Amino acid sequence: MKKISLLLACAALCCSLTSCYERVDAGHEGVKVNLYGDKKGVDDVSLVTGAVWYNPFTTAIYEFPTFVITVDYEPFSINAKDGSSFTVDPTISLKIIDGKSPEVFKKYRKENIEDVINTTLYNYVKNAFRIQLNNYTTDELVSKREEFEKSIEDRLQKELEAENFHLEQLTSGLQYPQSLVDAINRKNEAVQEALKIENEVKAVEAAAKKRVAEAEGNAKALGIKGDAEAEYNRKIATSLSPLIIQNNMIDKWDGHTPVFTGANGTILDVSKMVK
């Protein structure tokens, strides 16, 4: 009986020494790697999730994140089709395609996925920018920047999928050469100055039109006033003409009865004719 207990104890001790327990965290995939034995080699990697029991002497468990990772790469310089030098400061968001963690480990043999992202994938990013930027001139990069960035994203998407990664988002951080920036600034300043002058001319024209309108209004007002005064004077003159004539006759009368000469030279006394 004691021997059986001892054997069980030894077996339990051996199991405890040769077995380990690990739980793969949420948002991660576990990669189980056989370090020794017949399966070591091409088929030595398998996908595991949840609780995993394994022999730490012959097996290793690595965890790879399946959530989206955002990486801000170091800036680098590349040339356009016409030789102009541009600076790219890319930021990408990506993740391992679900279930592909073992494939990534098989190819790169990296325990930390960040090592792959910061080396191999960084080279893919630089190469994609180098090839695509060389298809555009400086002027085209200004006028067709959205098209250029879409071409980068499409190319990088295909290349990363071949590496079992999915590209979520790409920001190029494309920076124009200082000479181009200065030229654009000068052009913008010229346009702004032209607009300023145009607005000033419009303001002067508007002010002149206003003065003309005011002058025409004043002239019309004076014309109406003059016509009214002339009409008034005409009516007054018309009504006063008989009185003026009569008044003139009175002023010129010498106080004697008027005497008229008849047809035969006879002098007629008006006063006697009245009697």
Side-chain angles (χ1 to χ4, degrees):
M1 190 69 179
K2 291 182 178 180
K3 290 183 178 180
I4 296 175
S5 298
L6 182 61
L7 289 174
L8 292 175
C10 290
L13 179 61
C14 290
C15 288
S16 64
L17 292 175
T18 59
S19 298
C20 283
Y21 168 84
E22 184 170 337
R23 175 172 291 278
V24 178
D25 296 333
H28 291 74
E29 290 179 344
V31 176
K32 185 177 180 181
V33 183
N34 293 309
L35 304 176
Y36 302 99
D38 296 337
K39 293 185 178 181
K40 182 178 182 299
V42 178
D43 299 324
D44 64 344
V45 179
S46 60
L47 177 67
V48 292
T49 57
V52 182
W53 287 94
Y54 66 98
N55 184 341
F57 296 105
T58 60
T59 308
I61 303 294
Y62 303 115
E63 291 188 27
F64 289 83
T66 56
F67 51 81
V68 176
I69 300 172
T70 299
V71 186
D72 185 6
Y73 285 124
E74 289 293 322
F76 54 89
S77 297
I78 47 179
N79 294 328
K81 188 175 182 179
D82 54 6
S84 298
S85 179
F86 288 78
T87 298
V88 177
D89 187 6
T91 300
I92 68 170
S93 296
L94 74 168
K95 66 184 291 294
I96 295 178
I97 297 174
D98 293 343
K100 294 297 184 178
S101 296
E103 301 299 324
V104 174
F105 181 83
K106 281 182 182 180
K107 183 170 185 176
Y108 297 106
R109 293 291 171 171
K110 298 288 186 180
E111 300 177 11
N112 190 338
I113 193 63
E114 292 182 357
D115 292 339
V116 179
I117 293 175
N118 292 327
T119 54
T120 304
L121 299 193
Y122 184 33
N123 291 332
Y124 275 109
V125 171
K126 289 193 291 185
N127 192 56
F129 273 98
R130 180 183 60 80
I131 294 174
Q132 294 303 120
L133 191 70
N134 197 248
N135 293 327
Y136 292 84
T137 64
T138 301
D139 290 341
E140 288 173 337
L141 287 170
V142 175
S143 61
K144 300 179 180 180
R145 177 163 180 169
E146 184 175 352
E147 175 187 313
F148 159 71
E149 295 193 345
K150 182 65 167 57
S151 69
I152 293 289
E153 189 171 350
D154 291 344
R155 182 185 185 88
L156 197 55
Q157 178 72 58
K158 293 178 181 179
E159 292 181 346
L160 293 186
E161 283 184 355
E163 301 300 316
N164 298 303
F165 286 87
H166 175 70
L167 178 65
E168 294 284 338
Q169 188 177 13
L170 167 68
T171 303
S172 70
L174 183 67
Q175 300 174 13
Y176 297 124
Q178 189 59 44
S179 57
L180 179 59
V181 173
D182 293 340
I184 293 175
N185 290 336
R186 287 194 297 269
K187 179 180 178 180
N188 290 337
E189 290 173 359
V191 171
Q192 293 298 322
E193 184 64 22
L195 290 174
K196 179 182 178 182
I197 294 173
E198 182 180 352
N199 291 332
E200 290 176 350
V201 170
K202 289 181 179 179
V204 171
E205 291 176 347
K209 289 180 180 179
K210 181 180 178 181
R211 288 194 296 272
V212 170
E214 290 176 348
E216 290 178 348
N218 292 334
K220 288 180 180 179
L222 290 174
I224 293 171
K225 181 179 179 183
D227 292 342
E229 291 178 349
E231 180 64 17
Y232 174 78
N233 291 333
R234 185 187 65 77
K235 291 180 178 181
I236 293 297
T238 302
S239 63
L240 292 180
S241 293
L243 296 176
I244 293 173
I245 295 172
Q246 185 177 0
N247 187 59
N248 288 337
M249 292 176 62
I250 294 172
D251 290 340
K252 294 179 179 181
W253 186 45
D254 57 1
H256 296 89
T257 300
V259 177
F260 298 92
T261 303
N264 298 321
T266 306
I267 298 174
L268 301 177
D269 188 346
V270 176
S271 62
K272 291 179 179 182
M273 292 175 65
V274 175
K275 290 179 180 180

